[in-house]
Amino acid sequence: MLSSQLSNIVTIGYFISMVLFVVYLSTRSKSMALGGTILAYLGFLLQTVAIGLRWYESYQVLGADGRAPLSNLYESVVFFAWTILLIYIIIDLKYKQRAVGAFVIPFAFLAMAWAQLQLNDAIEPLVPALQSNWLTYHVITCFLGYAAFAVACGVSIMYLIKAGKEEKNASGSPIGGILAVFPSTRILDDLNYKSIMIGFPLLSLGIITGAAWANYAWGTYWSWDPKETWSLIVWFIYAAFLHARFTRGWVGKKAAWLSIIGFAATIFCYLGVNLILSGLHSYGG
Amino acid sequence: MSAKDRNAITALWDFFCSLKLTIVTLILLAATSIIGTVIQQGRSPQEYLQEYSESTYRLFDTLGFFDMYHSWWFLALLGIFSINLIACSIKRFPVVWRTVRNPVLIADDSLFRTLSNMEEFLLKAPVAEVQGKLSTYVGQRFAAPVLSEKDGVVHLYAQKGAWARFGVYVTHLSILIIFIGAIVGSLWGYKAYVNIVEGTEATQVYPRGASEPIDLGFAVRCDAFSVSYYEGTGRPKEFKSLLTVKDGSQTIVEQRPVIVNDPLTYKGITFYQSSYGPAGDPTFNFRVKVRATGETVDITARQGERITLPGGGSFRVADFTEQFQNFGAAARLDVTPPAGAPRSFVVLKAFPEFDVQRGGEYIFSLLDYKQRFYTGLQVAKDPGVWIVWLGCALMVIGSMVAFFLSHRRIWIAIRPVGDKTGIKIGGSAHRNQPAFEIFFDEFKKNLKAELKV
Ligand code: HEM
């Protein structure tokens, strides 16, 4: 299928973009950063086309049963990569911190590589449980939230690296090497917060649309199944992060760790629950 | 009350007002919630004993791990969390309310000093003129200012988005509202199920974990149940029950299709398509030909029922399956011919002529079969659900306001300095200060142009 071939090109694009950003970190060459950024933007545009095309193809394969490409593990992983780029581009347009790309694009590349190489990309019709518009709202809000957390995680890793180096170099000698192009810890901390500020309301909406759907389909908005519970765990962690900012002793490194743990929990919620635990949300498996 | 008591109460109050407690509680809630995702919840003791040793089972049972989200300690954690939320709000809300209702109209020097973007300059124009121009400008570019005068100094104060300060409180209140909705639902609602065989009706449903059925006060009949498949596959496309609701002698809805993701609600009770299964044995239509005479009879038989055949033999349907080695529906028959040993063989619905080749006394064709189904419905009544949705809506609105809007304030002091006029201007936003500074720099630049500084 054409959409699948486009997705292969997108994957390669993200890979090159990632490499260019890493080269930028070590060489500090502005043109490398520019190249990485341009490839990321082009990849995003092409992926938008690929997702739209897959939507169209679903009508060719399934006739009237065609549907938005958001309904199995392959499609959700591809969509996850797309949302990561979307949030990354928003942050990039606003804050223009090029070094961030080296820590965010890899997430998108890994997702695409996994989807294209390992996952089943057949277009299959929906089982009755998934035939609902709530599926679309739920998936879109959840994944936009997850993507914002991915960006926050990348930024937090940068924060910890930079803060760690700064502590060692307390003597005041300027920091060289790849850290030279890192934004200051103050900006990284702010970017981390801004990303979570985008992600948290989206995750809340994702949990709420999931609850609304469960209530509509089964009559219980909350049944403590592992997927629901893990999304709540993620929500608790980021709520703790938001309050850490107002609390002495919890700002800085601890907040960055909370952000990284939050993203690890997000990934577990998304994949671990399906692959390791059992529950109602079997579509990922 | 002794001083010691008062100290203890203050300490307790401070404990419950502290944000450290919030963070610790949130992390504890997150960490302990994992338990219930690793240990299956709400199973029978037998099932647990297969998985865990006796002593582990007893330990987990004591700790409430088998129904942990309703265990005393998890509810206690949620209780502490709620008290924390309420105490914190009680402590902070009055301050915010005063900031919004009684804003500081007159900025003294100490306030100006706290504003990072404060600026001072002199103008060659009388106070009255400057004051007029400034009021108009601030009104047009920001918000209508409040004027006050003190010791010969004119003060302008203007603010925008003061209510954005309440976003956080709306968010926090929304959590309590959701809790209230959940409590209302668990006190006055129920979750139950009912199986209704096609063509029959139910007036009672069976709540989970309780033995007494609940009277609906009306009757629900299942007129038909069906499963449809995606063409050419065994993949189900739709599970559908046709339901009729009768209240007394009145028919409320007739043959309403209820499918997964499209339930039926009557009198606050909702019925969800959830499962199905065969009800009793299927009935079959056979055409049987007596080989010797060529006589043909059509026979209707239920599974297991022994039927006499022309010429003195008999048969019964011993077994049935809808899918036999990819050949479709098949019945296994036990046939006792008039003479000789009984035989057992399979007939396929898809190949009605096939049995001729067996060479028996009777030739069987399976023309059709009918399997009655029951539909399994989840039944839920939850009067708290609208409170929960109200809480959810407030949470989304509240957190958007808290994150993306801010209370912005501008103070200006105008004082005569000899024959000139001195101006002091400063502003602040209660959050997202960088964005405000960009606006405020532009604002000051245009203001100076307006006043021709
Ligand atoms: C999971 C539950 C909670 C959620 C989702 C939540 C949500 C929020 C949000 C979105 C903010 C704004 C954060 C920001 O501006 O960066 C906030 C601030 C705050 N929260 Fe919570 N909160 C929760 C629990 C609590 C609890 C239990 C307390 C109890 C003390 C609390 C006290 C505060 C305080 C004092 C602020 C700072 C307000 C300010 O000065 O701006 N929160 N909360």
Side-chain angles (χ1 to χ4, degrees), chain A:
Chain A
M1 268 174 303
L2 186 56
S3 69
S4 193
Q5 285 159 6
L6 288 186
S7 293
N8 280 333
I9 301 174
V10 170
T11 311
I12 296 167
Y14 291 162
F15 176 73
I16 301 174
S17 164
M18 175 178 93
V19 170
L20 290 181
F21 275 123
V22 172
V23 172
Y24 165 61
L25 290 190
S26 52
T27 62
R28 288 179 242 170
S29 146
K30 285 243 166 62
S31 52
M32 289 294 157
L34 188 65
T37 308
I38 289 174
L39 268 178
Y41 279 52
L42 285 179
F44 176 73
L45 286 181
L46 192 61
Q47 196 181 5
T48 312
V49 174
I51 290 175
L53 194 60
R54 187 177 168 90
W55 196 337
Y56 172 74
E57 284 167 351
S58 81
Y59 281 91
Q60 292 187 317
V61 175
L62 304 173
D65 296 317
R67 72 285 183 293
L70 300 170
S71 62
N72 60 27
L73 187 58
Y74 169 81
E75 290 174 338
S76 74
V77 172
V78 168
F79 185 66
F80 185 34
W82 185 83
T83 53
I84 291 175
L85 261 289
L86 179 68
I87 303 285
Y88 168 73
I89 286 174
I90 291 172
I91 299 272
D92 184 64
L93 286 176
K94 196 131 193 235
Y95 301 98
K96 303 206 166 42
Q97 295 294 343
R98 290 286 142 83
V100 172
F103 288 82
V104 174
I105 302 298
F107 290 124
F109 165 69
L110 284 178
M112 286 306 289
W114 185 44
Q116 293 303 113
L117 295 176
Q118 297 261 307
L119 298 177
N120 173 13
D121 69 351
I123 294 180
E124 277 157 1
L126 292 178
V127 297
L130 296 182
Q131 294 165 10
S132 168
N133 282 335
W134 284 109
L135 172 69
T136 313
Y137 309 139
H138 178 54
V139 171
I140 289 177
T141 47
C142 281
F143 279 96
L144 284 172
Y146 292 177
F149 297 149
V151 174
C153 175
V155 170
S156 293
I157 294 171
M158 296 173 80
Y159 180 93
L160 288 177
I161 297 174
K162 181 111 180 177
K165 267 279 162 38
E166 275 179 0
E167 263 165 35
K168 271 193 214 140
N169 283 33
S171 51
S173 57
I175 302 174
I178 64 163
L179 289 178
V181 291
F182 273 37
S184 69
T185 47
R186 201 180 57 80
I187 290 178
L188 288 171
D189 185 51
D190 192 48
L191 283 179
N192 189 15
Y193 175 61
K194 290 268 160 56
S195 311
I196 290 172
M197 206 170 88
I198 297 171
F200 191 73
L202 284 165
L203 176 67
S204 307
L205 262 177
I207 295 176
I208 292 168
T209 51
W213 182 17
N215 188 59
Y216 188 60
W218 299 305
T220 21
Y221 52 83
W222 198 261
S223 50
W224 293 105
D225 93 287
K227 193 89 170 180
E228 285 171 351
T229 308
W230 269 95
S231 69
L232 191 66
I233 291 170
V234 171
W235 193 74
F236 282 144
I237 296 173
Y238 286 108
F241 171 91
L242 290 174
H243 293 86
R245 302 180 55 79
F246 301 106
T247 314
R248 232 179 312 128
W250 275 88
V251 287
K253 275 184 160 178
K254 267 193 202 162
W257 273 114
L258 270 179
S259 171
I260 292 172
I261 293 169
F263 185 61
T266 304
I267 289 300
F268 191 82
C269 176
Y270 173 28
L271 300 172
V273 172
N274 296 105
L275 304 177
I276 299 168
L277 308 172
S278 60
L280 294 167
H281 285 69
S282 45
Y283 86 68

Side-chain angles (χ1 to χ4, degrees), chain B residues 245-394:
Chain B
V245 176
K246 280 195 293 190
D247 198 346
S249 58
Q250 253 183 313
T251 300
I252 309 295
V253 283
E254 197 153 15
Q255 305 219 347
R256 152 87 147 78
V258 171
I259 60 175
V260 181
N261 278 312
D262 191 11
L264 163 77
T265 302
Y266 178 62
K267 282 195 170 165
I269 301 172
T270 308
F271 298 85
Y272 304 84
Q273 181 64 55
S274 152
S275 63
Y276 74 99
D281 295 329
T283 52
F284 305 91
N285 291 326
F286 287 102
R287 175 159 296 162
V288 185
K289 190 170 177 186
V290 184
R291 193 182 286 276
T293 61
E295 184 189 351
T296 308
V297 284
D298 281 355
I299 292 170
T300 304
R302 278 191 299 128
Q303 187 168 341
E305 185 186 13
R306 185 157 282 279
I307 309 265
T308 332
L309 293 166
S314 70
F315 84 104
R316 69 183 186 101
V317 179
D319 201 1
F320 171 72
T321 171
E322 293 207 275
Q323 193 58 256
F324 179 74
Q325 296 171 358
N326 274 330
F327 293 122
R332 170 171 294 282
L333 307 185
D334 288 344
V335 179
T336 312
R343 292 195 195 116
S344 181
F345 55 91
V346 171
V347 290
L348 301 166
K349 178 166 176 275
F351 304 97
E353 302 302 327
F354 192 67
D355 197 40
V356 179
Q357 294 162 30
R358 188 174 48 87
E361 294 87 337
Y362 299 105
I363 301 163
F364 290 86
S365 315
L366 173 53
L367 300 181
D368 203 1
Y369 67 93
K370 175 114 187 72
Q371 170 72 67
R372 274 216 299 179
F373 285 99
Y374 71 82
T375 180
L377 302 173
Q378 293 255 34
V379 185
K381 180 180 167 184
D382 190 347
V385 75
W386 289 105
I387 304 176
V388 172
W389 297 146
L390 172 72
C392 290
L394 287 178

Side-chain angles (χ1 to χ4, degrees), chain A residues 193 235 243, chain B residues 19 22 81 84-85 88 92 172 175 403 431:
Chain A
Y193 175 61
W235 193 74
H243 293 86
Chain B
L19 267 178
T22 312
F81 178 78
N84 187 203
L85 199 50
C88 209
R92 286 167 194 246
H172 291 152
I175 294 167
F403 285 136
R431 51 179 302 131

